[in-house]
C-alpha cells in the first residue's frame, strides 16, 4: 500500500455526538493525522459519495460508522463503505443497538409520520407527507425512502468491531486509535473479529463507587422526586432505576458518580444477550413483596419501562432482531 | 454478539422417536418425524434417525448403545416422554456405550405434545419443532462429571408425631444416630390426643405410648422436645443445623419425673394446647400423663413466681432440686446428612364459618374437642357431656366436611373426617345411646376395613342425611325446637329441607397445613403447593422426597392422611435415608450455576435470591460466589444476574438460544385457503 492508510467516518441515523467525541481528542488528532489520510468524513470535511463509489474495494483501511440504518440512503452508504473498507467499526450505541432513534421501532411507520407531521407547531394544513419521488417541471426528484424499522449496522452488513457508548468516551476512542496506529506500524495485532473495543469485562457497577447491600425494592422513585440523594449508597437501593448492573463498564461510571442513574448507553455487558430482559428480570427478582397487588403497585412506579430498559437497545433486542425466521437450512 | 462457544468436535447426532405404544404414535406421525429429522436436520449433524415402539425397553436402549458404537454417534436426542421420567434411562444407555451421558437430550413429545394436542397434523409439526430444538441444543452440550458428596450418617427428624416417631425408630434401629426435634413438650402429635382410632377402635394411647417410650429410651435417638430448628445450612450429606432448646426451668438430668411439682403448683389454667381448651393444667405441667419425655415444662406467663416474684412451691418440694428458674434457652449445633420433615397438620378454624355458630353456641364442639371429651384420660374421664360438664346429650349431630371440599375455604378433601365422624357416631352410640344424625356430602371410606366400619355404624342406627349443613341456630320455630340447637340442611336424597333439633353438634373440621408451613419450607429449601402442603418430588413415584436432595417429608405434612398412611410414609422416608447412608456417597446432577468472577460487578442483586442459600459474597474481592454443593441448579440467579455473570451448566445462553431457534423453525407448508 502506498501512502498513509485511509480512514473514513460516517454518520447515519445519529445525533453527531459520536463525531464530537472523536474530535474531542484534542492534540491526539495530530497523531491521528500523521498516521492516517482522511478520505471521507462528512462532518469534518467536504466529500462526495461518488468519490467513495470510485474507490477500489478495500481501499479504506478503517471506517468508523455511527448511527442506525433508518432509510435507504443509510443502507446504501453502509453497504458501500463495507465494500470499500478493510475494517468496519460499528461505532456508538446507535450503530450497535439502534440507540434513541431505534425507540421509534415501538410504533408503526405511519404513526411515526403522524406524530412528526401533525404536531401543533407544524403548519401542515393539507396534511402532506413526504413523498419518495416527486415530478417537478425540471424533472423527477427523489429523497431517501424511510424503512419500516430502524436496523442496526450489523443487521444490514457484516461488521468487524464494535465500539459502544453514547457517545464512546473520548479517552477510549483515543486508546483505540493508539492501538490502530501500532497495528499500522506493525507493533500490535488486531483483536479477534467481533470484539468490543473500548469497554471493560464487567459492568458499570464494577466502576461505581457507591456502597451496595442486599437489594429489596419496595418503591421506585424518580430522581426529581427525591429531596436528597445519598451520594454513597447504590441508587437502586434508593429506589432509583439504575441500568448500571447490566451495562458494560468502560465509562468510569460517569452518571452514577454525579447522582444520575446509569442510562445504559454503553450497552449490554459481555454476558448479556438482551439488555432490557436482563434488567427486567434482575429488578423483578429484588422486588420485596409477595402480594400480587403490592407487586403491581411497585411495578407501576416504573413510569416508562421501554424507555428505561430499552432506551438504547430496542432495535437490537430479541423482540426485534430483524432476523428472518430460521428455515433449518 | 457475545461469546459464542463453538461445540467440541463435529456433532454426529442420533435421533430416536418413541411411539410409547399408542401414547405418542396414536397422535403423532412418529415415522414422519423420524424421516423428517434425518433429512432436514442433516446439516446440523443428524446422521441417523429412527422411530421405535418403546425406547425405554431394554431393546430400545440397546439400539442406542449399538448405534453409538457402530455409527460413532457423539450426541443423542430421544423424543419420548418427560425427562423427569426417563432422562436417567437414556443417559445410562449412552454411558454404557462409552459416551458422556450429558450429551443426551430429551424432547418431551408425550407430555408436551401427544397428551395435550388433539390435531394430528399439528401434533406432528409440533413434535418436529421439539426435535429441532433438542437437536440444535445438544450441539452445544458439554461433557459433565457428576458431583460426589459423602453422606453424614446422622439424621435430623423434625416433628414427633406418629410419622416422625416411626421414621426415627426405623433409622435408629439400623444403628444410626437420629436427632428428633419436637416443638411441644412431648412427642406424640395429634394421635396422643385421641381416645380410640378408627377403624379398629384400638385405644390410641395403648398403641402409641409404647412407641413413644421406645423413642425416649433409644440409645441412638437424641430427643429434643420443647425445641425448634433455628437455622439450616449446607446440603445433602452435610447439613449444619442450629436447634434452640427452649428453657423448661427444669434440669432434665436431675428430674425424676415424679410430678410432685405439678401437684404442688397452686396455679391452674385452661389447657389451650394439648387440651384444646377442654380441661385444665398447672403452671408447671406435662401435657399428659404418658408424656415422653416426662419432665415438666414451666409456663412462665402463668407462673406466680415469674409474675409476682414469690411462690417457688415447685422448687421447695422437688426432692432432687431439679427446678431452675434461671435456666436459659440452649443452642445446639448438629451436623446431619439427611433431614425428614414430619411436621403434621393444623385444624381448620371453625369460627371462619359463623353460620355454624362455633364459639357462640357452647354446645357446638370441634372434632378435636370431642376427642378430648370422650378420652378416658380427658377432663371428664371419657364421659360425654354438654359444655356444662354434667348433662348427657340425648341427640347429637355430626357435621362432615367442615372447611373441606368448600370453595370458600379448602377445596380439597381432608381424607380422614368421614371415618373420624363415623368413629364419633359409634362412640356416642356406645356411651350415651343418644340419637345421632350424620350430615355428609359423600361418604368416603375407601381404605381397608373402612366401609365395613360404615356398615356397622349404619347398623347401629345412626341416621345419615346427605346434604351440606346450611346453618346451625338456636332460634326455635316450634316447641320441639325449644332450647335446642337446630341443624338446617337440604336433604339432597329426599329433596327437602330438614331442621333437626339436637343437644350437641360436633363439627368435623378439616385438616390444614401447619400455620408456619411456608416458613418451614423456606427454611429447609423445599416448596409448598398452593394449598400449603409440602410438595413431593413426584406425587406418585417419589412421594416422600422433595426437589431438594437430602430433605424428605412424611405424614400429614404432605397432605391429609390417616395413621396407617402416615406411618407408612415415616417408614418410607426412613428407608430412603437409610439407603443414602448405606451408599456412603451420593452422585449429584452436575447441573450447577457458577459465577464468572471477571464479569461479576458485585452488584449483589443475586445475593438474597437462592432458595438453597448457595450464594455467598466475597467481601475482599467484592464478587459473588456460588457453593457448588449447595446449588441445585434451579436457575433463579442465572436469570436474575443483570451482568450475565452467572452461567448454568446445562443451561448456557448458547444452549437455550439454540433450542429456541430450533423450536421457532418454520417448516410448515402454507395452508391453502
Ligand atoms: C379429630 C381427628 C381424629 C382422627 N382420628 C384418627 C383415627 O382414628 N385413625 C386414624 O388413622 N387417623 C385419625 N386421624 C388422623 C391422624 O391424626 C393423622 O393421620 C396423624 O396424626 C398424622 O401424624 P403426623 O405425625 O403426620 O402429624 P401430627 O400428629 O400432626 O404430628 C406432627 C408433630 O410435629 C410437631 N411439629 C410441627 N411443626 C414443627 C416444627 N416446626 N418443629 C418441631 N416440631 C414440629 C407437632 O408439634 C406434632 O407433634 C384423626 C384426625 C383428627 C383431626
Ligand atoms: S446499580 Fe447503579 S448506583 Fe448501584 S452500584 Fe450499580 S451503577 Fe452504582
Ligand atoms: S442456580 Fe443459583 S439460585 Fe439456583 S440453586 Fe444454584 S445458586 Fe441458587
Ligand atoms: S447479580 Fe451477577 S453481577 Fe451482581 S453480584 Fe450477583 S453474580 Fe455478580
Amino acid at each position: 500500500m502506498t501512502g498513509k492508510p485511509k480512514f473514513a467516518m460516517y454518520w447515519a441515523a445519529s445525533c453527531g455526538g459520536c463525531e464530537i467525541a472523536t474530535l474531542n481528542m484534542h492534540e491526539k488528532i495530530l497523531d491521528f493525522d500523521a498516521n492516517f489520510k482522511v478520505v471521507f468524513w462528512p462532518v469534518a470535511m467536504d466529500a462526495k459519495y461518488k468519490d467513495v463509489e470510485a474507490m477500489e474495494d478495500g481501499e479504506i483501511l478503517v471506517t468508523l460508522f455511527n448511527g442506525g440504518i433508518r432509510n435507504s440512503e443509510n443502507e446504501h452508504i453502509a453497504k458501500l463503505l463495507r465494500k470499500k473498507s478493510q475494517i468496519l467499526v460499528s461505532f456508538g450505541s446507535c450503530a450497535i443497538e439502534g440507540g434513541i432513534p431505534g425507540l421509534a421501532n415501538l410504533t408503526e411507520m405511519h404513526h411515526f409520520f403522524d406524530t412528526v407531521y401533525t404536531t401543533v407547531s407544524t403548519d401542515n394544513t393539507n396534511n402532506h407527507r413526504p413523498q419518495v419521488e416527486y415530478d417537478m417541471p425540471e424533472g423527477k426528484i427523489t429523497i431517501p425512502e424511510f424503512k419500516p424499522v430502524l436496523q442496526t449496522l450489523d443487521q444490514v452488513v457484516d461488521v468487524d468491531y464494535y465500539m459502544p457508548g453514547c457517545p464512546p468516551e473520548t479517552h477510549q476512542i483515543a486508546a483505540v486509535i493508539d492501538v490502530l496506529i501500532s497495528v499500522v506500524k506493525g507493533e500490535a495485532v488486531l483483536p479477534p473479529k467481533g470484539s468490543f473495543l473500548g469497554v471493560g469485562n464487567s459492568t458499570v457497577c464494577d466502576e461505581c463507587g457507591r456502597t451496595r447491600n442486599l437489594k429489596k425494592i419496595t418503591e421506585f422513585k424518580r430522581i426529581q422526586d427525591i429531596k436528597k440523594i445519598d451520594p454513597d449508597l447504590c441508587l437502586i437501593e434508593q429506589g432509583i432505576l439504575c441500568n448500571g448492573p447490566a451495562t458494560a463498564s468502560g465509562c468510569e461510571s460517569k452518571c452514577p458518580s454525579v447522582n444520575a442513574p446509569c442510562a445504559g448507553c454503553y450497552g449490554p455487558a459481555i454476558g448479556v444477550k438482551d439488555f432490557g430482559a436482563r434488567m427486567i428480570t434482575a429488578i423483578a427478582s429484588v422486588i420485596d413483596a409477595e402480594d400480587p397487588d403490592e407487586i403491581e403497585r411497585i411495578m407501576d412506579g416504573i413510569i416508562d419501562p421501554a424507555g428505561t430498559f430499552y432506551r438504547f437497545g430496542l432495535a437490537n433486542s430479541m423482540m426485534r432482531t430483524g432476523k428472518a425466521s430460521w428455515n433449518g437450512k | 454478539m457475545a461469546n459464542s462457544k463453538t461445540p467440541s468436535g463435529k456433532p454426529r447426532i442420533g435421533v430416536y422417536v418413541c411411539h410409547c405404544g399408542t401414547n405418542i404414535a396414536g397422535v403423532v406421525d412418529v415415522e414422519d418425524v423420524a424421516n423428517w429429522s434425518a433429512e432436514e436436520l442433516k446439516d446440523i449433524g443428524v446422521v441417523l434417525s429412527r422411530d421405535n415402539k418403546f425406547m425405554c425397553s431394554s431393546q430400545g436402549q440397546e439400539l442406542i448403545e449399538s448405534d453409538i458404537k457402530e455409527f460413532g454417534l457423539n450426541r443423542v436426542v430421544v423424543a419420548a416422554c418427560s425427562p423427569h421420567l426417563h432422562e436417567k434411562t437414556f443417559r445410562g444407555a449412552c454411558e454404557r456405550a462409552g459416551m458422556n451421558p450429558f450429551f443426551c437430550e430429551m424432547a418431551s413429545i408425550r407430555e408436551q405434545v401427544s397428551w395435550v394436542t388433539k390435531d394430528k397434523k399439528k401434533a406432528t409439526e409440533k413434535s418436529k419443532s421439539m426435535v429441532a430444538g433438542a437437536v440444535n441444543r445438544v450441539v452445544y452440550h458439554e461433557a459433565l462429571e457428576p458431583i460426589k458428596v459423602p453422606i453424614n450418617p446422622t439424621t435430623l427428624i423434625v416433628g414427633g408425631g406418629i410419622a416422625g416417631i416411626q421414621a426415627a425408630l426405623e433409622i435408629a434401629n439400623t444403628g444410626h444416630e437420629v436427632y428428633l426435634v419436637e416443638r411441644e413438650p412431648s412427642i406424640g402429635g395429634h394421635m396422643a390426643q385421641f381416645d380410640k382410632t378408627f377403624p379398629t377402635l384400638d385405644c390410641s394411647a395403648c398403641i402409641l405410648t409404647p412407641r413413644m417410650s421406645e423413642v425416649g429410651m433409644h440409645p441412638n435417638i437424641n430427643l429434643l422436645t420443647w425445641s425448634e430448628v433455628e437455622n439450616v445450612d449446607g446440603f445433602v450429606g452435610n447439613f449444619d443445623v442450629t436447634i434452640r432448646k427452649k428453657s423448661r426451668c427444669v434440669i432434665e438430668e436431675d428430674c425424676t419425673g415424679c410430678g410432685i411439682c405439678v401437684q404442688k403448683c397452686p396455679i391452674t389454667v385452661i389447657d389451650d394446647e394439648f387440651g384444646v381448651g377442654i380441661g385444665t393444667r398447672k403452671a408447671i405441667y406435662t401435657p399428659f400423663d404418658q408424656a415422653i419425655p416426662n419432665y415438666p415444662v414451666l409456663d412462665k406467663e402463668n407462673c406466680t413466681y415469674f409474675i409476682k416474684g414469690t411462690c417457688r412451691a415447685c422448687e421447695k418440694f422437688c426432692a432432687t432440686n431439679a427446678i431452675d428458674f434461671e435456666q436459659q434457652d440452649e443452642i445446639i449445633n448438629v451436623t446431619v446428612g439427611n433431614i425428614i420433615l414430619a411436621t403434621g397438620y393444623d385444624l381448620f378454624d371453625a369460627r371462619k364459618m359463623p353460620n355454624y355458630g362455633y364459639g357462640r353456641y357452647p354446645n357446638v364442639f370441634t372434632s378435636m374437642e370431642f376427642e378430648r371429651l370422650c378420652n378416658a384420660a380427658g377432663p371428664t374421664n371419657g364421659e360425654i357431656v354438654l359444655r356444662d360438664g354434667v348433662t348427657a346429650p340425648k341427640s347429637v349431630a355430626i357435621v362432615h366436611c367442615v372447611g373441606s371440599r368448600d370453595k370458600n375455604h379448602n377445596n380439597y378433601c381432608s381424607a380422614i373426617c368421614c371415618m373420624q365422624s363415623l368413629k364419633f357416631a359409634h362412640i356416642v352410640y356406645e356411651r350415651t345411646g343418644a340419637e345421632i344424625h350424620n350430615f355428609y356430602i359423600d361418604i368416603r371410606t375407601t381404605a381397608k376395613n373402612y366401609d365395613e366400619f360404615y356398615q356397622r355404624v349404619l347398623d347401629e342406627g345412626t341416621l345419615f342425611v346427605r346434604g351440606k349443613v346450611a346453618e346451625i341456630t338456636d332460634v326455635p320455630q316450634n316447641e320441639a325446637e325449644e332450647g335446642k340447637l337446630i341443624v338446617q340442611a337440604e336433604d339432597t336424597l329426599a329433596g327437602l329441607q330438614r331442621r333437626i333439633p339436637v343437644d350437641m353438634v360436633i363439627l368435623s373440621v378439616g385438616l390444614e397445613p401447619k400455620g408456619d408451613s411456608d416458613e418451614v419450607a423456606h427454611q429447609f429449601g423445599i416448596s409448598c403447593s398452593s394449598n400449603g402442603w409440602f410438595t413431593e418430588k413426584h406425587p406418585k413415584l417419589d412421594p416422600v422426597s422433595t426437589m431438594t436432595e437430602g430433605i424428605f417429608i412424611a405424614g400429614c405434612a404432605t397432605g391429609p392422611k390417616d395413621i396407617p398412611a402416615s406411618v407408612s410414609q415415616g417408614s418410607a422416608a426412613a428407608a430412603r435415608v437409610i439407603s443414602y447412608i448405606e451408599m456412603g456417597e451420593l452422585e449429584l446432577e452436575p447441573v450447577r450455576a457458577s459465577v464468572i468472577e471477571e464479569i461479576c460487578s458485585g452488584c449483589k442483586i443475586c445475593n438474597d435470591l437462592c432458595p438453597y442459600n448457595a450464594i455467598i459474597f466475597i467481601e475482599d474481592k467484592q464478587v459473588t460466589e456460588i457453593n457448588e454443593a449447595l446449588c441445585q441448579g434451579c436457575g433463579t440467579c442465572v436469570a436474575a444476574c443483570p451482568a450475565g455473570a452467572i452461567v448454568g451448566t446445562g443451561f448456557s445462553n448458547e444452549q437455550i438460544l439454540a433450542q429456541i431457534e430450533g423450536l421457532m423453525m418454520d417448516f410448515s407448508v402454507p395452508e391453502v385457503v
Side-chain angles (χ1 to χ4, degrees):
Chain A
M1 199 190 293
T2 53
K4 287 189 282 186
K6 292 177 180 161
F7 170 91
M9 186 156 185
Y10 185 72
W11 58 350
S14 63
C15 69
C18 287
E19 330 266 343
I20 294 171
T22 310
L23 289 169
N24 227 1
M25 281 188 293
H26 303 299
E27 57 280 0
K28 184 114 225 144
I29 204 86
L30 300 174
D31 250 4
F32 172 76
D33 185 56
N35 284 284
F36 290 97
K37 175 172 163 54
V38 178
V39 292
F40 180 64
W41 189 352
V43 170
M45 55 175 260
D46 186 33
K48 297 285 178 272
Y49 290 165
K50 64 175 190 321
D51 300 339
V52 184
E53 277 153 13
M55 290 179 192
E56 299 273 317
D57 285 359
E59 192 176 317
I60 306 170
L61 178 68
V62 51
T63 294
L64 305 184
F65 192 107
N66 65 84
I69 308 303
R70 175 75 276 182
N71 60 33
S72 53
E73 180 186 14
N74 301 153
E75 184 173 358
H76 169 69
I77 303 298
K79 288 182 173 158
L80 181 65
L81 285 169
R82 169 68 282 181
K83 228 163 71 186
K84 304 297 174 191
S85 319
Q86 291 173 40
I87 301 168
L88 178 64
V89 181
S90 188
F91 193 85
S93 306
C94 298
I96 300 176
E97 301 181 83
I100 305 288
L103 279 172
N105 287 5
L106 282 172
T107 44
E108 287 173 53
M109 202 165 57
H110 65 98
H111 291 308
F112 185 84
F113 280 129
D114 289 346
T115 309
V116 173
Y117 293 102
T118 55
T119 50
V120 211
S121 59
T122 309
D123 185 7
N124 185 5
T125 36
N126 294 328
N127 209 15
H128 284 309
R129 294 287 180 275
Q131 304 298 309
V132 179
E133 289 180 359
Y134 196 75
D135 284 320
M136 294 284 282
E138 298 84 355
K140 184 185 281 186
I141 57 166
T142 59
I143 58 168
E145 185 176 6
F146 221 70
K147 292 161 70 78
V149 289
L150 180 136
Q151 287 183 292
T152 66
L153 182 61
D154 72 356
Q155 285 167 9
V156 176
V157 296
D158 186 41
V159 163
D160 299 303
Y161 298 109
Y162 300 86
M163 188 155 182
C166 180
E169 286 294 311
T170 299
H171 76 274
Q172 298 281 21
I173 304 174
V176 169
I177 297 280
D178 275 342
V179 173
L180 271 177
I181 294 174
S182 332
V183 171
V184 170
K185 289 185 178 155
E187 291 161 4
V189 288
L190 286 169
K193 185 173 163 159
S195 297
F196 276 64
L197 309 176
V199 281
N201 281 333
S202 189
T203 72
V204 172
C205 299
D206 198 46
E207 297 179 332
C208 175
R210 291 170 182 266
T211 317
R212 298 174 275 262
N213 306 291
L214 292 186
K215 293 178 174 48
K216 290 191 184 304
I217 302 181
T218 51
E219 191 181 7
F220 292 110
K221 299 182 200 121
R222 301 210 280 176
I223 34 175
Q224 60 266 41
D225 300 333
I226 299 182
K227 276 218 188 71
K228 188 170 171 355
I229 294 173
D230 180 338
D232 299 320
L233 181 65
C234 169
L235 294 168
I236 290 185
E237 289 163 48
Q238 301 183 55
I240 302 165
L241 269 172
C242 177
N243 279 320
T247 305
S249 49
C251 67
E252 293 171 337
S253 187
K254 279 246 155 23
C255 299
S257 66
V258 294
N259 276 353
C262 168
C265 81
Y266 253 64
I270 291 179
V272 176
K273 292 271 178 204
D274 187 291
F275 185 91
R278 272 283 165 198
M279 273 310 292
I280 292 165
T281 42
I283 293 294
S285 303
V286 292
I287 286 187
D288 191 21
E290 298 283 337
D291 172 43
D293 293 337
E294 173 67 0
I295 294 172
E296 197 80 4
R297 185 194 67 77
I298 297 175
M299 294 299 264
D300 282 348
I302 305 175
I303 304 298
D304 173 16
T308 306
F309 299 123
Y310 286 103
R311 184 172 307 173
F312 297 96
L314 187 73
N316 194 41
S317 73
M318 293 218 264
M319 295 185 285
R320 280 173 187 268
T321 51
K323 201 171 176 186
S325 89
W326 187 63
N327 62 10
K329 293 284 160 83
Chain B
M1 271 191 339
N3 51 329
S4 64
K5 243 181 270 159
T6 36
S8 46
K10 194 170 163 11
R12 291 183 62 76
I13 308 168
V15 174
Y16 299 86
V17 186
C18 184
H19 295 217
C20 194
T22 54
N23 265 312
I24 297 171
V27 187
V28 174
D29 185 344
V30 283
E31 211 177 308
D32 180 26
V33 176
N35 293 339
W36 175 89
S37 308
E39 198 41 49
E40 298 294 320
L41 304 175
K42 223 170 18 205
D43 295 353
I44 310 172
V46 171
V47 294
L48 68 87
S49 176
R50 306 180 190 278
D51 61 290
N52 185 282
K53 214 157 190 87
F54 288 107
M55 279 309 298
C56 60
S57 68
S58 50
Q59 179 263 343
Q61 296 180 48
E62 279 157 18
L63 184 65
I64 299 181
E65 291 178 54
S66 61
D67 282 352
I68 292 177
K69 290 180 191 145
E70 188 176 336
F71 297 96
L73 303 181
N74 56 17
R75 306 265 191 300
V76 163
V77 168
V78 186
C81 50
S82 153
H84 258 307
L85 233 63
H86 273 308
E87 191 167 57
K88 271 213 174 101
T89 313
F90 299 123
R91 281 184 178 169
C94 294
E95 198 169 19
R96 285 195 297 279
M99 196 172 114
N100 183 289
F102 294 91
F103 284 123
C104 172
E105 172 72 7
M106 285 188 76
S108 168
I109 61 166
R110 192 180 73 177
E111 282 79 350
Q112 294 185 3
V113 181
S114 69
W115 280 357
V116 290
T117 319
K118 280 200 193 112
D119 184 315
K120 293 190 175 186
K121 186 162 165 276
K122 285 198 179 131
T124 305
E125 268 169 22
K126 201 168 157 195
S127 302
K128 290 177 186 172
S129 322
M130 302 277 294
V131 172
V135 165
N136 229 18
R137 181 190 214 278
V138 82
V139 168
Y140 293 92
H141 278 206
E142 287 172 287
L144 303 175
E145 293 306 326
I147 302 165
K148 291 195 173 134
V149 291
I151 302 287
N152 181 313
T154 304
T155 307
L156 169 73
I157 298 175
V158 185
I162 188 61
I165 289 175
Q166 180 72 15
L169 289 172
E170 298 261 19
I171 298 171
N173 286 340
T174 60
H176 298 297
E177 208 180 344
V178 170
Y179 282 86
L180 177 57
V181 174
E182 166 60 53
R183 171 179 286 170
E184 299 298 330
S186 169
I187 55 170
H190 283 102
M191 199 179 159
Q193 293 170 289
F194 308 154
D195 183 47
K196 291 200 154 50
T197 56
F198 60 72
T200 45
L201 300 174
D202 310 79
C203 143
S204 194
C206 311
I207 56 175
L208 175 67
T209 50
R211 295 287 174 97
M212 289 170 54
S213 38
E214 207 184 321
V215 167
M217 288 181 322
H218 206 295
N220 293 332
I221 299 180
N222 304 288
L223 180 56
L224 299 168
T225 57
W226 201 237
S227 301
E228 303 240 7
V229 173
E230 283 221 320
N231 191 45
V232 187
D233 279 326
F235 43 89
V236 59
N238 192 16
F239 292 103
D240 290 317
V241 185
T242 311
I243 301 162
R244 175 178 295 268
K245 192 159 185 262
K246 293 173 277 188
S247 152
R248 292 175 117 95
C249 294
V250 171
I251 304 164
E252 292 175 14
E253 295 74 41
D254 297 337
C255 173
T256 59
C258 70
I260 186 89
C261 55
V262 179
Q263 241 175 54
K264 297 295 177 187
C265 174
I267 301 298
T268 301
V269 293
I270 304 268
D271 178 7
D272 275 325
E273 300 97 28
F274 185 81
V276 287
I278 298 232
T280 57
R281 62 162 170 80
K282 293 292 188 64
I284 186 164
Y285 68 103
T286 49
F288 52 102
D289 289 344
Q290 304 99 317
I292 297 286
N294 66 348
Y295 4 92
V297 167
L298 188 143
D299 164 10
K300 292 183 188 168
E301 267 165 37
N302 288 300
C303 164
T304 316
Y305 173 68
F306 276 95
I307 299 169
K308 296 198 182 129
T310 54
C311 179
R312 304 181 86 124
C314 48
E315 189 186 42
K316 261 176 245 138
F317 285 95
C318 179
T320 55
N321 291 326
I323 306 287
D324 174 9
F325 292 105
E326 311 304 316
Q327 193 179 58
Q328 297 298 312
D329 290 0
E330 196 185 331
I331 299 295
I332 300 169
N333 294 305
V334 296
T335 307
V336 298
N338 293 283
I339 298 174
I340 299 174
L341 301 176
T343 48
Y345 61 90
D346 275 341
L347 288 164
F348 174 75
D349 179 1
R351 287 183 183 79
K352 287 188 190 156
M353 294 181 77
N355 48 329
Y356 288 179
Y358 178 74
R360 266 186 301 134
Y361 307 133
N363 291 321
V364 176
F365 290 80
T366 66
S367 44
M368 198 51 87
E369 285 177 330
F370 184 79
E371 284 285 0
R372 296 307 302 148
L373 196 65
C374 70
N375 195 304
T380 60
N381 300 322
E383 204 179 323
I384 298 168
V385 287
L386 297 183
R387 196 84 64 171
D388 64 8
V390 286
T391 321
K394 292 204 181 57
S395 50
V396 176
I398 302 170
V399 183
H400 296 216
C401 294
V402 177
S404 309
R405 306 180 69 197
D406 182 335
K407 287 206 288 299
N408 301 319
H409 302 288
N410 296 314
N411 55 5
Y412 53 82
C413 166
S414 287
I416 59 97
C417 327
C418 277
M419 279 304 287
Q420 164 253 294
S421 303
L422 296 171
K423 172 174 80 174
F424 289 176
H426 171 77
I427 292 173
V428 173
Y429 162 80
E430 199 179 56
R431 300 203 194 152
T432 67
E435 183 186 59
I436 308 159
H437 278 91
N438 272 45
F439 294 84
Y440 69 101
I441 308 177
D442 295 296
I443 293 284
R444 297 187 166 175
T445 49
T446 51
K448 190 173 178 184
N449 293 331
Y450 282 14
D451 211 59
E452 292 88 325
F453 188 78
Y454 175 35
Q455 294 305 327
R456 174 174 171 187
V457 173
L458 279 172
D459 292 344
E460 287 168 358
T462 292
L463 301 163
F464 284 83
V465 181
R466 184 174 187 274
K468 198 170 159 67
V469 171
E471 192 186 13
I472 293 162
T473 173
D474 64 353
V475 183
Q477 288 184 357
N478 52 46
E479 219 173 298
E481 293 181 356
E482 215 69 67
K484 301 272 187 185
L485 290 167
I486 304 105
V487 183
Q488 166 141 14
E490 186 192 347
D491 184 333
T492 55
L493 293 182
L496 48 88
Q497 288 288 333
R498 284 191 191 276
R499 286 174 65 84
I500 296 176
V502 295
D503 295 327
M504 177 189 231
V505 176
I506 307 167
L507 302 178
S508 295
V509 290
L511 273 51
E512 286 189 341
K514 271 274 175 216
D516 61 353
S517 67
D518 270 337
E519 289 99 89
V520 172
H522 184 75
Q523 184 176 52
F524 290 90
I526 64 167
S527 52
C528 290
S529 67
S530 56
N531 286 323
W533 304 104
F534 294 157
T535 312
E536 310 86 347
K537 185 163 188 180
H538 192 289
K540 285 168 255 174
L541 301 178
D542 211 352
V544 294
S545 302
T546 65
M547 292 305 261
T548 305
E549 280 289 2
I551 311 271
F552 299 90
I553 46 182
C556 285
T558 74
K561 53 181 68 63
D562 57 15
I563 294 166
S566 302
V567 170
S568 310
Q569 285 207 333
S571 294
R576 296 298 306 272
V577 169
I578 294 164
S579 80
Y580 275 11
I581 297 173
E582 290 302 311
M583 283 154 68
E585 190 178 72
L586 202 65
E587 278 195 356
L588 300 184
E589 209 24 32
V591 174
R592 291 290 179 270
S594 59
V595 178
I596 304 171
E597 197 181 305
E598 308 83 73
I599 300 184
C600 172
S601 67
C603 72
K604 290 194 177 170
I605 289 208
C606 63
N607 281 201
D608 203 22
L609 302 179
C610 177
Y612 308 97
N613 302 324
I615 298 179
I616 29 179
F617 193 74
I618 311 294
E619 284 297 339
D620 53 339
K621 289 202 228 163
Q622 287 289 302
V623 290
T624 287
E625 242 177 55
I626 289 171
N627 180 324
E628 192 186 62
L630 276 178
C631 168
Q632 307 273 326
C634 73
T636 306
C637 63
V638 183
C641 172
I646 312 185
V647 285
T649 23
F651 291 89
S652 67
N653 274 347
E654 286 77 20
Q655 289 167 349
I656 305 274
L657 290 172
Q659 184 165 22
I660 294 175
E661 265 193 46
L663 284 167
M664 307 264 280
M665 175 171 174
D666 179 18
F667 49 79
S668 56
V669 191
E671 302 218 8
V672 189
V673 196

